[in-house]
């Protein structure tokens, strides 16, 4: 992980990265810049949400029956219109929209998945929230009309993915498959400044992150693993520390920086897990793998799951490689 001595903006960095590929058309670079712009606008609104009356519910339910907060809709609109403007994205799938959203340019070659506002239950209490994106190429087909099935590609086909964390500062991290780059928003100049250009997750961490309220309905192997995390053993730095923010982006960003494991398992309430494969798990798995970590549903690599529906969910175990390998041994033994 190298720290930069000269200030490099997100825009400059994207252009420099593009210049390393002589045949690049610049379209993916444009798409990333569009997301950067929407992120700045969302960040500004997040920071003044209490003043401008953007806190609180807007009254409708999203496709998952959860109440939609005003900022969710604001973020959804900003991201979709930023992508629509540059005419290189043909289709968007967002948590806030039931079906696919076809954009004006159906000739555009990218398909983008969005969780426009992640951690929305934390909006009203001033706790970190985020945005997540995941980018695929439209696959060539005989028919021209774009349909949902065009978007059902496994995570290993992602050409880019990233997140924005609206925390004590606003951070944008992304990958195009060549490591993870992270930028911090300097609000005084309105620019994302490169903080790290090859982020690596610690091989092993001492933090576990899971909503323990559902303990009684977990599978046996997971219960035993969490007890293992809590047992005292000076040689393996146990007991581990428990941390759970309830915004996946924030929990994953901490996991990336400090190491450890984040788990959202199957439970009685969510037999197939709660987190969405296409716009929560795959993009964050791509980031974590590019940083040297692992992401599994307990059996399969998250990015190899073949999707059947755009809003499907999956259990997820993600983080430092040694922690994820350890939980897998517990799951397999029970
Ligand atoms: P969203 O706000 O996009 O619906 O996502 C919330 C998700 C995720 O961010 C978080 O990790 C998880 O829900 C928390 O769920 P529990 O409250 O069940 O722990
Ligand atoms: Mn979410
Ligand atoms: Mn959301």
């Amino acid at each position: 992980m190298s720290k930069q001595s000269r200030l490099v903006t997100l825009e400059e960095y994207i252009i420099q990265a593009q210049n390393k590929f002589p045949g690049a058309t610049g379209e993916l670079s444009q798409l990333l810049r569009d997301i950067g712009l929407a992120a700045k606008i969302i960040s500004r609104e997040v920071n003044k949400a209490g003043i401008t009356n953007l806190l609180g519910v807007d009254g409708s339910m999203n496709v998952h029956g959860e109440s939609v907060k005003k900022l969710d809709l604001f973020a959804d609109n900003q991201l979709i219109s930023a992508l629509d403007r540059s005419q290189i994205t043909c289709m968007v799938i967002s948590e806030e929209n039931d079906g696919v959203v076809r954009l004006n340019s159906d000739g555009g070659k990218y398909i983008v998945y969005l969780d426009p506002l992640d951690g929305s239950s934390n909006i009203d209490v001033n706790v970190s929230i985020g945005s997540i994106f995941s980018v695929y190429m439209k696959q060539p087909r005989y028919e021209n009309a774009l349909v949902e099935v065009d978007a059902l590609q496994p995570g290993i086909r992602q050409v880019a993915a990233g997140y924005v964390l609206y925390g004590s500062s606003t951070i944008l991290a992304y990958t195009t498959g060549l490591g993870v780059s992270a930028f911090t928003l300097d609000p005084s100049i309105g620019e994302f400044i490169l903080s790290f250009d090859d982020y690596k997750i610690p091989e092993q961490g001492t933090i576990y992150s899971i909503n323990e309220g559902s303990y009684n309905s977990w599978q046996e192997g997971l219960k035993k693993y969490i007890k293992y995390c809590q047992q005292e053993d000076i040689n393996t730095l146990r007991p581990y520390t428990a941390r759970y923010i309830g915004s996946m982006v924030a929990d994953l960003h901490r996991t990336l920086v400090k190491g450890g494991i984040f788990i959202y398992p199957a439970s009685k309430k969510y037999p197939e897990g709660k987190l969405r494969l296409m716009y929560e798990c795959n993009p964050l798995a791509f980031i974590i793998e590019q940083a040297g970590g692992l992401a599994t549903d307990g059996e399969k690599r998250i990015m190899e799951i073949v999707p059947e529906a755009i809003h499907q969910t999956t259990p997820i175990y993600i983080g430092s490689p040694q922690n994820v390998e350890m939980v897998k041994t517990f799951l397999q033994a029970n």
Side-chain angles (χ1 to χ4, degrees):
M1 176 173 4
S2 55
K3 228 181 158 107
Q4 299 292 308
S5 49
R6 190 182 79 77
L7 292 188
V8 178
T9 67
L10 175 64
E11 305 252 328
E12 285 173 324
Y13 185 86
I14 289 171
I15 290 165
Q16 283 168 15
Q18 181 196 321
N19 289 341
K20 291 184 193 150
F21 297 91
T25 60
E27 288 166 298
L28 184 59
S29 302
Q30 181 60 45
L31 191 155
L32 293 169
R33 290 204 297 270
D34 292 342
I35 289 177
L37 174 64
K40 284 190 225 173
I41 298 170
I42 298 167
S43 178
R44 190 190 64 201
E45 290 311 304
V46 166
N47 284 313
K48 59 179 190 184
I51 311 171
T52 54
N53 203 25
L54 274 166
L55 290 176
V57 290
D58 102 320
S60 60
M61 294 278 183
N62 72 13
V63 291
H64 315 286
E66 301 150 338
S67 68
V68 174
K69 309 272 176 174
K70 289 179 188 170
L71 264 177
D72 293 41
L73 291 183
F74 179 84
D76 194 44
N77 288 337
Q78 288 301 325
L79 284 160
I80 293 178
S81 51
L83 292 169
D84 203 13
R85 254 193 314 269
S86 50
Q87 307 257 302
I88 47 188
T89 302
C90 57
M91 184 152 82
V92 169
I93 295 93
S94 156
E95 182 186 18
E96 303 306 335
N97 297 282
D98 199 353
V100 303
V101 180
R102 287 182 192 82
L103 301 190
N104 288 321
S105 168
D106 55 2
K109 68 178 179 198
Y110 293 111
I111 295 172
V112 180
Y113 279 88
L114 296 173
D115 181 350
L117 224 283
D118 175 66
S120 32
S121 68
N122 280 325
I123 297 173
D124 290 343
V125 290
N126 229 325
V127 171
S128 300
I129 50 182
S131 301
I132 312 174
F133 63 93
S134 163
V135 184
Y136 293 84
M137 296 271 273
K138 183 174 73 180
Q139 297 298 305
R141 289 193 309 121
Y142 295 112
E143 308 92 90
N144 282 329
L146 279 168
V147 287
E148 194 169 301
V149 76
D150 290 305
L152 292 175
Q153 303 182 37
I156 44 170
R157 292 234 201 106
Q158 290 171 104
V159 294
Y163 63 80
V164 186
L165 171 62
Y166 314 102
S168 44
S169 61
T170 295
I171 286 177
L172 184 153
Y174 80 88
T175 183
T176 55
L178 298 169
V180 178
S181 309
F183 303 79
T184 306
L185 182 62
D186 180 341
S188 66
I189 55 170
E191 295 279 5
F192 280 106
I193 304 296
L194 181 62
S195 309
F196 295 101
D197 69 359
D198 191 15
Y199 231 123
K200 290 295 172 214
I201 188 170
E203 275 285 301
Q204 158 132 47
T206 55
I207 299 175
Y208 71 98
S209 186
I210 186 167
N211 182 342
E212 253 172 296
S214 305
Y215 180 90
N216 284 331
S217 71
W218 296 341
Q219 67 185 94
E220 237 14 70
L222 177 56
K223 287 181 177 171
K224 288 189 178 149
Y225 174 70
I226 296 300
K227 286 291 159 217
Y228 162 88
C229 294
Q230 296 167 346
Q231 272 153 16
E232 201 167 320
D233 175 25
I234 206 148
N235 296 317
T236 50
L237 301 174
R238 286 179 289 143
Y240 292 166
T241 292
R243 288 281 184 275
Y244 190 74
I245 298 165
S247 299
M248 190 191 191
V249 169
D251 279 314
L252 257 292
H253 183 71
R254 184 205 53 247
T255 306
L256 176 62
V257 176
K258 296 199 166 172
I261 189 162
F262 171 85
I263 301 172
Y264 206 110
S267 63
K268 202 174 285 165
K269 189 169 171 197
Y270 300 110
E272 304 299 328
K274 175 188 179 192
L275 298 177
R276 290 67 168 202
L277 175 63
M278 301 305 285
Y279 43 85
E280 292 180 319
C281 298
N282 270 333
L284 293 169
F286 193 17
I287 292 270
I288 291 290
E289 283 199 11
Q290 283 294 313
L294 293 173
T296 169
D297 70 355
E299 287 168 10
K300 289 184 298 294
R301 184 181 170 202
I302 288 288
M303 289 205 291
E304 287 178 6
I305 297 173
V306 178
E308 289 169 6
I310 52 178
H311 295 293
Q312 86 184 57
T313 61
T314 175
I316 186 167
Y317 301 79
I318 181 169
S320 294
Q322 289 185 22
N323 298 70
V324 176
E325 289 298 355
M326 180 62 85
V327 75
K328 274 167 70 179
T329 63
F330 276 85
L331 297 174
Q332 280 152 16
N334 287 274

